[in-house]
Amino acid sequence: MKRRFLTMITVAVSSLAAIAQPYPTTDNIVRLTDQNMPAVEYFTAEKVKLPEIYANAEYHIYNDDIAIIINYKNPQPFVVTFYNLNTKKIIAGFFKKGEMMYVGGQMRCNDFVVANGISHTVFRFNIDSVLAYGFAYSPAVTQFGTTYASSLVYVDENTIVMPNSQYITGDFGVEGLPEFILCNAKTGKPLTDYKQNNKNFPSNLTQRSIAYCNSKYIAFWHNFPIITIYDKNFNLLKMYRDDKFKDNEVREENRDFLMKNIDNFFTFACQTDNYIFANNGRGHISREEFEKKGGIQWIETTDFTIARLKNQEIWCFDNDMNLVRRFKCKNKLSFISNVSYNEKSKNMFVNAMDENGKYCLYRCKFNK
C-alpha cells in the first residue's frame, strides 16, 4: 500500500488533466458552505491516561467507561481488549499475537465490528453481551472471498452490504458496475452475480466508507469532497458537496489512477442510536506545496500529517442523513480517526495522533 501511495504522489509533480468524474451524479446536490452549515463547535482535547501496555493503539469508548482497544502491532496480551476505565481491569480479550494482522474496528450502535484485512474476515461483537459474558463470549464471524471491503453494514442478521471496491463510473470504460455488493452474513458469499471490473483498479480512487439507517445508505468519499445518499434499492437520492474544495484531478495510467493533489476528505467515524459521525479531513495539499516542503521526504515526517489534516472537522448527521453538527479541535492534534459519543452524557472521545506522532485517547471538552 505504501509503495502504491508513493507512486501516486510522485506523479503529482507533473501536470495532470481531469478526464471524468469517477463518482455517480445527481441533480439533487446540496452545496455545503459556511453560510448554510451548522456553526462549528470547538473543543479542547484532554488526554486520557491508560496503562503503558495500551499505548499507541486504536481506541473506542462505550458508555464513557468501557475502552475497546485494538493493538495488533503489540498485543498485550490481546489484539482486541475490553477494558474498564473505572476499575482498571480487563473485561475480555480476543486474539493473541500473530492471529490477527492489519485490524481495524468500527463502533456501530451496540455492535463493534472488527475487520481483518489480511484474511478478509469480519468479527461482529455485541458489546452488551461482551460485558455480560466476558471471556466466554464468542463473536459472529464472516469469512469473505475476493469480494471484501473493510467498511460494511449489517442490514439485518443475514445480509451485509459493502461498497464495491472496483466500482467506477462508465466514463472510464466499464459500464454496469454496481456501487454496492450484498453478501450473506453467515457465509460471506455475494447474494447475486455481479459484473466484474477487468479493466482498471479504481479502489484507491473511489474509496468509500458507509453507514445505514432508516432504509437509507450514506457513503463517505475519501478522495473527493462529496457524500452520497441512497435509498434501500441503492438509487442515488442526494449528494452533499463540501463546496470549499474542488475535485482532485486524476488520470488513468496502466490500469491505475493517479491524482494530482493529496486530498483527504470523508471517512466513517462511528454510529449511535440517533447519529452518524464522519471525519472530514478537509485536507488538500497542492503540487506546489508538496514540492516546496520537500516532496517524498516530507511524507515521512509528522509535519506532513499535521499539515495534511490541519483543518479537519467531525461532522454529525441525524438518522435522516441531515448534517446537524460540526466539531473542530482547538489543540494541535492530527489525524483524528475514531470518534465515540454517548448520547446520554453528551460526552465525546477521539482517537488522534499527538505532537510526537503517537496515537492517544482524548476526551473532548466543549466551550460553554
Side-chain angles (χ1 to χ4, degrees):
M1 181 66 70
K2 184 175 181 180
R3 180 181 177 186
R4 185 167 182 153
F5 177 67
L6 293 179
T7 301
M8 293 166 63
I9 301 305
T10 302
V11 179
V13 300
S14 62
S15 178
L16 304 178
I19 54 177
Q21 292 173 319
Y23 53 79
T25 57
T26 174
D27 292 334
N28 189 13
I29 300 177
V30 179
R31 297 187 176 275
L32 298 172
T33 67
D34 289 336
Q35 286 69 44
N36 64 10
M37 286 193 293
V40 174
E41 301 173 49
Y42 290 91
F43 65 88
T44 301
E46 293 186 349
K47 189 175 294 186
V48 177
K49 291 184 178 180
L50 290 166
E52 185 61 28
I53 61 173
Y54 302 131
N56 200 26
E58 175 183 326
Y59 313 98
H60 305 259
I61 302 299
Y62 182 70
N63 285 351
D64 293 345
D65 56 7
I66 305 301
I68 306 175
I69 304 165
I70 295 182
N71 191 347
Y72 66 86
K73 293 182 180 180
N74 188 30
Q76 297 285 345
F78 303 103
V79 175
V80 180
T81 302
F82 288 74
Y83 177 82
N84 191 309
L85 294 172
N86 295 326
T87 65
K88 315 297 183 185
K89 293 182 179 180
I90 296 177
I91 299 169
F94 304 87
F95 317 116
K96 294 295 186 72
K97 185 175 182 179
E99 293 180 351
M100 299 274 277
M101 292 294 293
Y102 300 104
V103 183
Q106 295 182 342
M107 187 86 76
R108 296 183 181 271
C109 300
N110 292 331
D111 284 337
F112 188 69
V113 181
V114 176
N116 186 341
I118 295 296
S119 65
H120 291 186
T121 307
V122 171
F123 301 85
R124 184 186 187 188
F125 295 81
N126 179 277
I127 301 173
D128 291 330
S129 295
V130 174
L131 301 183
Y133 296 102
F135 286 92
Y137 177 81
S138 296
V141 182
T142 305
Q143 173 72 59
F144 295 91
T146 55
T147 302
Y148 171 78
S150 59
S151 180
L152 50 83
V153 294
Y154 289 78
V155 177
D156 52 45
E157 293 300 316
N158 299 310
T159 309
I160 289 174
V161 171
M162 64 182 69
N164 180 4
S165 62
Q166 296 304 305
Y167 166 78
I168 197 165
T169 59
D171 294 336
F172 293 84
V174 190
E175 297 283 352
L177 292 174
E179 288 187 63
F180 301 93
I181 294 176
L182 285 77
C183 292
N184 184 299
K186 304 296 191 298
T187 66
K189 295 181 179 180
L191 292 175
T192 186
D193 293 330
Y194 294 101
K195 183 175 182 178
Q196 302 297 309
N197 183 355
N198 298 316
K199 181 180 183 297
N200 46 43
F201 304 101
S203 55
N204 279 8
L205 179 67
T206 58
Q207 181 181 348
R208 291 150 291 154
S209 49
I210 65 171
Y212 175 78
C213 189
N214 287 354
S215 298
K216 293 180 183 177
Y217 299 89
I218 183 168
F220 303 104
W221 294 70
H222 185 264
N223 293 317
F224 296 92
I226 62 168
I227 296 169
T228 44
I229 298 170
Y230 309 79
D231 66 17
K232 63 180 180 180
N233 297 315
F234 308 111
N235 297 305
L236 181 57
L237 301 175
K238 181 170 67 174
M239 174 186 292
Y240 289 118
R241 170 173 286 276
D242 189 345
D243 218 32
K244 182 178 179 179
F245 302 94
K246 296 181 179 179
D247 285 353
N248 203 342
E249 295 182 10
V250 301
R251 76 174 183 189
E252 185 176 1
E253 184 175 290
N254 297 326
R255 304 179 71 188
D256 209 344
F257 291 89
L258 310 173
M259 290 171 272
K260 177 179 179 180
N261 302 307
I262 306 172
D263 285 350
N264 186 305
F265 294 109
F266 296 102
T267 53
F268 171 85
C270 78
Q271 185 171 1
T272 63
D273 288 339
N274 294 294
Y275 301 105
I276 298 167
F277 293 81
N279 289 310
N280 182 358
R282 303 196 106 184
H284 172 83
I285 296 177
S286 67
R287 172 171 58 89
E288 291 75 18
E289 182 179 2
F290 176 78
E291 292 175 335
K292 183 179 179 181
K293 293 292 182 66
I296 296 299
Q297 290 71 30
W298 185 41
I299 292 175
E300 303 298 331
T301 67
T302 302
D303 177 65
F304 167 76
T305 305
I306 294 174
R308 186 183 184 190
L309 295 170
K310 61 184 178 182
N311 296 314
Q312 182 174 2
E313 296 181 4
I314 299 169
W315 286 14
C316 175
F317 300 81
D318 64 19
N319 283 346
D320 289 323
M321 313 305 180
N322 300 305
L323 178 62
V324 292
R325 299 178 76 180
R326 295 162 63 202
F327 308 98
K328 190 169 184 178
C329 183
K330 297 175 69 175
N331 305 59
K332 290 185 177 180
L333 297 179
S334 62
F335 201 68
I336 295 175
S337 52
N338 305 309
V339 176
S340 303
Y341 185 74
N342 186 333
E343 292 188 15
K344 293 180 180 179
S345 67
K346 313 300 182 187
N347 288 329
M348 189 164 77
F349 296 80
V350 296
N351 196 170
M353 187 183 292
D354 66 9
E355 63 277 5
N356 298 315
K358 302 295 184 181
Y359 288 100
C360 302
L361 174 64
Y362 294 89
R363 183 191 299 269
C364 305
K365 299 203 71 174
F366 290 91
N367 298 341
K368 294 184 179 180

